[in-house]
């Protein structure tokens, strides 16, 4: 008897599953209110990221190595004082156009030395960085980082451009978005205050951010290629560099995509030609 019904079990289970899906699809649903946008949640004062144009946007976009090198300079001279990039090695910088000697010099002269062990005593020590080392952070550990930043932990920047909604445009907006509390905000929310040690930034999630304005004025960095270092220029360059850090193979991925697309087009044309050749003159 069991042998007779066994072949029917699988089809019956499948039919039951399909029936359950059809019933669930046909059942009426309670109306669901759309989720509020970030701006609505903050009374309309939270801003969406700026519309920033980058060379790497779109399926044909590519990184601009000159811009990435400028962005690295901003990170090195400004951001690295608080933020680490522990997933990026110095030798990875060859991917944005630096030569091997340049990378070696960058690693050797980095402000923070690489943690090591004294071979004679076995005690913790530091040494000059090598191209094979990951970029050392400014603090020994999380406790030291929080102690130096009013208990706020500066995020690691290795994957920041991919981890934040809005990507590099969000970073550019945060860096350039510091302003005084609008009078309309004070009027609408009389109890709203900026706590001591925080700064008003409408692009940040709760409007108050612990990081002080990193780019205080134009010309804070002197670009080696002669580009005028306005605050917006520096913010755009460093956000582009952080995008590269998070997705360094983007150029290769876009190039491979074009090759695959070309292959598919050619394969489609050949298949159509074969079809016409085989069935040419034959009646259906």
């Amino acid at each position: 008897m069991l042998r007779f019904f066994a072949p029917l079990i699988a089809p019956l289970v499948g039919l039951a599953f399909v029936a359950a899906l059809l019933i669930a699809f046909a059942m009426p649903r309670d109306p669901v209110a759309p989720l509020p946008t970030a701006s609505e949640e903050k009374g309309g004062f939270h801003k969406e990221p700026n519309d920033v144009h980058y060379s790497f946007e779109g399926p044909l976009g590519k990184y601009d190595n000159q811009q990435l090198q400028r962005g690295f300079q901003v990170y090195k001279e400004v951001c690295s004082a608080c933020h680490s990039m522990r997933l990026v090695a110095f030798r990875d910088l060859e991917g944005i156009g630096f030569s091997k000697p340049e990378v070696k010099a960058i690693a050797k002269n980095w402000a923070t030395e690489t943690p090591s062990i004294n071979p004679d005593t076995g005690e913790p020590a530091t040494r000059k960085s090598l191209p094979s080392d990951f970029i050392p952070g400014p603090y020994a550990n999380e406790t030291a980082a929080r102690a130096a930043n009013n208990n706020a932990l500066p995020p690691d920047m290795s994957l920041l451009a991919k981890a934040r909604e809005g990507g590099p445009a969000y970073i550019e907006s945060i860096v350039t978005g510091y302003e005084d509390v609008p009078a309309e905000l004070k009027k609408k929310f009389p109890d709203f205050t900026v706590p001591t040690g925080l700064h008003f930034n409408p692009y940040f999630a709760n409007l108050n951010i612990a990081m002080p304005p990193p780019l205080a004025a134009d010309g804070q960095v002197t670009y080696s290629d002669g580009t005028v270092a306005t605050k917006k220029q520096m913010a755009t360059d460093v956000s582009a560099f952080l995008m590269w850090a998070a997705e360094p193979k983007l150029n290769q991925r876009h190039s491979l995509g074009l090759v695959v697309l070309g292959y598919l087009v050619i394969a489609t044309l050949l298949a159509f030609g074969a079809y016409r050749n085989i069935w040419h003159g034959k009646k259906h």
Side-chain angles (χ1 to χ4, degrees):
M1 184 65 69
L2 182 60
R3 181 178 301 177
F4 175 77
F5 286 106
L8 301 177
I9 293 178
L12 290 175
V13 171
L15 288 174
F17 180 72
V18 172
L21 288 178
L22 292 175
I23 294 173
F25 180 78
M27 289 181 63
R29 293 169 175 80
D30 295 332
V32 179
L35 293 174
T37 64
S39 180
E40 292 170 341
E41 289 178 345
K42 301 301 178 183
F45 294 98
H46 182 280
K47 297 181 180 180
E48 298 299 324
N50 297 324
D51 184 13
V52 185
H53 173 69
Y54 294 99
S55 64
F56 49 80
E57 293 177 333
L60 301 179
K62 291 187 176 182
Y63 289 126
D64 178 352
N65 280 355
Q66 193 169 13
Q67 181 183 50
L68 298 184
Q69 290 184 19
R70 292 197 304 267
F72 170 71
Q73 186 178 350
V74 176
Y75 168 74
K76 176 184 176 182
E77 297 184 19
V78 180
C79 308
S80 65
C82 297
H83 295 274
S84 60
M85 293 193 76
R86 62 176 180 269
L87 300 181
V88 179
F90 286 107
R91 63 186 174 191
D92 294 334
L93 297 175
E94 293 179 25
I96 62 174
F98 286 111
S99 65
K100 290 183 181 296
E102 288 175 328
V103 169
K104 186 175 181 179
I106 290 171
K108 182 179 179 180
N109 298 320
W110 197 255
T112 306
E113 294 187 336
T114 295
S116 181
I117 298 294
N118 188 317
D120 299 324
T121 64
E123 297 294 325
T126 59
R127 59 169 173 79
K128 294 290 184 180
S129 298
L130 301 173
S132 57
D133 291 322
F134 289 96
I135 297 177
Y139 306 109
N141 49 52
E142 179 178 335
T143 302
R146 290 186 180 277
N149 292 278
N150 196 28
N151 203 39
L153 180 64
D156 180 82
M157 284 187 156
S158 304
L159 303 176
L160 194 64
K162 298 288 285 186
R164 296 293 188 269
E165 184 177 359
Y170 167 81
I171 298 173
E172 189 273 348
S173 302
I174 285 289
V175 171
T176 60
Y178 293 86
E179 59 184 54
D180 295 330
V181 180
E184 296 82 359
L185 176 58
K186 294 180 180 179
K187 182 177 179 180
K188 188 171 183 179
F189 300 101
D191 295 334
F192 179 85
T193 59
V194 179
T196 303
L198 300 185
H199 308 270
F200 181 78
N201 192 317
Y203 296 97
F204 194 62
N206 64 1
L207 305 181
N208 293 324
I209 186 171
M211 179 178 67
L215 300 176
D218 296 341
Q220 187 170 338
V221 171
T222 302
Y223 283 136
S224 57
D225 65 358
T227 301
V228 179
T230 63
K231 286 197 293 185
K232 182 169 182 58
Q233 181 70 57
M234 291 184 288
T236 304
D237 291 342
V238 74
S239 59
F241 168 71
L242 294 178
M243 181 63 188
W244 168 83
E247 193 170 359
K249 301 298 183 182
L250 180 140
N251 284 357
Q252 294 90 321
R253 182 166 58 82
H254 284 185
S255 298
L256 180 60
L258 291 176
V259 172
V260 172
L261 183 61
Y263 168 80
L264 292 176
V265 170
I266 294 173
T268 301
L269 293 176
L270 291 175
F272 180 73
Y275 166 79
R276 292 293 300 271
N277 185 58
I278 292 173
W279 294 100
H280 179 70
K282 296 185 179 181
K283 296 182 179 180
H284 294 281

